[in-house]
Amino acid sequence: MTPLPNMHDAEPIPDAARDALDGLMRSGDLFRYTAPKDAPVSLLEAEFAEMMGCKFALAVSSCSAALFLSLKALALPRDARVLIPGFTFAAVPSSVMHADCVPILCDVGTNYRIDLADFEAKLDDDIQAVIISHMRGHTSDMDAIMALCEARDIPVIEDAAHSLGTLWHDKKIGTIGKIGCFSFQSYKMINAGEGGILITDDADLVARAVIMSGAYEHNWKKHPILQDAFGAWQNKLPLYNLRMSNLSAAVIRPQLPELDRRVADGRRNHDHVAKALNTSPWIDVPEKLEPETRAPDSLQFNLVGMDDGEVQAFANAAAAEGVKVQIFGLSTDNARAFWNWQFMPEVPQLPRTKAMLMRACDTRLPARLTPQECEAVAQILVSAAQSTMAPARAYGS
Ligand SMILES: *Cc1c(COP(=O)(O)O)cnc(C)c1O
């Protein structure tokens, strides 16, 4: 049988990064605003904006920082209510609280996408912004969401941390709402250890975000953004210092040309394993939505007809064969289970989302795996379900 790869390793960083890093080591020029122009962070911003087909990009220290700055740049008042999905990473409600706003959660269905009826019901006159988390790269119905939000003039921030390369009707995810935020943390499609970027077409909004990210004094002059947009904000905004270092940008830039290949490989791997898993009566991999072209580097699936004990037995059986599966709702202190977000002013009841999380499994499936390795992963998962639910047949007796 194909030996299983380490499912957590990222891809090696392209060799091209070495020269840039060497140069930075020699000059010691690590701060984005030291050089008069063409600092790696500025070049990354220009290249990322061009790749995404948007006007402006601001590189920062993480996607969480990008989400926080987005909310601040929207100039929301203290205690503004921000609607977010009940299935996301704890960083999302945390960024809302960091911005002195209040997270309001809506239900998410068994296909990991926002439940539109609950979203519409909660999108009342008190909601002042919406963050759509494309959780694990699953895209909610952006046509319906944008129509509802535009009708009420509510700004939409896309948390595309884990969705770089995904398309919706051939439009790049992160360019549909007013602002898109991406992550360069190691488990995302482009890896700098840490890092994030915010994109938008709104010059005034990005000017505020640039200043608040830490472009103190007149450092904003190094951003190719309509310079008029800045004058009004000089000395008027707090400086949160969430900048990206040149080192991170030098690691990210040579990965941008790799993105299309990683996305294609990740989709190939995902679809291969998904197809195999769907042959099992105890496993369901939900279909993507029709307008969506996915860019997955992990796999989510639901266990069907199992009780809590059987779900745990399935995870143990898969782990014994070398495939680590986490069940969002059953693994201890999971940061994607909303009832663990006890830092929120009020932890809501979302029984439907909770039921989904108690059966939804998560396993990494990096783009660098070969089809043979994917087949081995699929077989382990299918036989773990089989041996849990029908042990006699699994042993052929
Ligand atoms: C990773 C992730 C984040 C946080 O990104 P950081 O860069 O680590 O702050 C936020 N939202 C989602 C959906 C993520 O997957």
Side-chain angles (χ1 to χ4, degrees):
M1 200 170 94
T2 313
L4 281 180
N6 180 333
M7 307 270 282
H8 285 266
D9 284 354
E11 280 191 30
I13 306 300
D15 278 337
R18 285 173 207 274
D19 291 345
L21 285 171
D22 255 8
L24 291 173
M25 302 287 261
R26 262 182 264 114
S27 66
D29 186 8
L30 307 185
F31 182 52
R32 69 163 297 169
Y33 291 128
T34 306
K37 62 183 183 63
D38 291 343
V41 179
S42 305
L43 295 174
L44 168 64
E45 288 170 343
E47 290 159 359
F48 198 85
E50 152 110 40
M51 179 179 95
M52 298 304 289
C54 62
K55 287 192 185 144
F56 311 111
L58 170 64
V60 290
S61 52
S62 68
C63 182
S64 304
L67 292 168
F68 162 73
L69 285 171
S70 300
L71 294 165
K72 295 307 273 184
L74 286 170
L76 299 178
R78 179 174 285 272
D79 293 332
R81 291 151 62 90
V82 178
L83 189 56
I84 67 172
F87 174 43
T88 182
F89 187 55
V92 175
S94 304
S95 70
V96 175
M97 300 209 26
H98 190 188
D100 293 320
C101 299
V102 180
I104 305 294
L105 271 49
C106 73
D107 258 321
V108 171
T110 52
N111 66 352
Y112 320 128
R113 285 152 177 96
I114 287 171
D115 179 286
L116 287 174
D118 196 47
F119 181 82
E120 186 170 6
K122 293 198 169 133
L123 195 71
D124 59 22
D125 291 337
D126 288 341
I127 298 292
Q128 289 185 275
V130 164
I131 299 180
I132 301 298
S133 244
H134 304 298
M135 186 55 175
R136 289 289 191 269
H138 298 286
T139 311
S140 295
D141 184 343
M142 290 305 288
D143 296 345
I145 287 169
M146 292 309 295
L148 287 167
C149 291
E150 276 164 7
R152 288 172 172 269
D153 213 13
I154 297 173
V156 173
I157 300 167
E158 286 180 80
D159 166 20
H162 212 153
S163 253
L164 183 58
T166 305
L167 304 176
W168 176 259
H169 291 298
D170 296 327
K171 202 168 159 51
K172 293 191 166 71
I173 279 296
T175 65
I176 298 169
K178 196 173 183 64
I179 310 173
C181 300
F182 298 86
S183 174
F184 301 122
Q185 186 267 343
S186 288
Y187 287 166
K188 316 296 160 126
M189 206 48 107
I190 291 183
N191 163 29
E194 302 284 357
I197 200 161
L198 167 168
I199 60 172
T200 183
D201 284 338
D202 185 324
D204 199 53
L205 190 145
V206 79
R208 291 193 293 273
V210 163
I211 292 178
M212 287 189 281
S213 77
Y216 62 93
E217 295 166 355
H218 285 229
N219 279 317
W220 50 258
K221 292 198 164 142
K222 292 178 182 165
H223 289 263
I225 293 168
L226 299 172
Q227 302 280 305
D228 304 350
F230 286 104
W233 299 108
Q234 184 74 53
N235 299 340
K236 300 270 178 9
L237 297 168
L239 304 166
Y240 294 107
N241 283 9
L242 300 165
R243 296 172 299 253
M244 178 181 278
S245 141
N246 280 338
L247 285 174
S248 303
V251 169
I252 294 166
R253 290 181 60 220
Q255 295 182 59
L256 297 183
E258 302 286 312
L259 180 64
D260 287 350
R261 195 227 356 119
R262 289 182 187 175
V263 166
D265 290 355
R267 191 184 306 133
R268 173 203 65 198
N269 290 352
H270 175 278
D271 293 353
H272 179 119
V273 178
K275 194 166 164 216
L277 295 194
N278 274 332
T279 62
S280 167
W282 298 287
I283 301 180
D284 177 47
V285 185
E287 263 303 313
K288 70 174 186 67
L289 299 187
E290 208 275 321
E292 186 185 3
T293 308
R294 301 200 62 223
D297 61 3
S298 66
L299 174 74
Q300 290 70 45
F301 56 92
N302 297 322
L303 296 173
V304 185
M306 294 191 191
D307 62 25
D308 282 359
E310 287 159 345
V311 166
Q312 199 56 62
F314 162 81
N316 295 344
E321 296 300 320
V323 177
K324 197 167 162 266
V325 173
Q326 101 179 315
I327 295 105
F328 291 106
L330 282 184
S331 75
T332 317
D333 296 327
N334 195 299
R336 301 148 204 91
F338 64 85
W339 54 93
N340 289 329
W341 305 339
Q342 288 161 20
F343 51 82
M344 294 201 307
E346 198 186 326
V347 181
Q349 304 281 321
L350 296 173
R352 283 166 14 97
T353 305
K354 181 161 189 179
M356 177 275 283
L357 290 167
M358 298 307 274
R359 292 294 174 269
C361 299
D362 188 30
T363 185
R364 287 189 46 76
L365 204 62
R368 63 178 168 73
L369 299 199
T370 64
Q372 292 73 26
E373 290 168 333
C374 290
E375 183 56 33
V377 170
Q379 281 179 17
I380 287 170
L381 293 173
V382 169
S383 60
Q386 178 80 17
S387 67
T388 302
M389 297 307 284
R393 269 195 289 158
Y395 296 104
S397 53

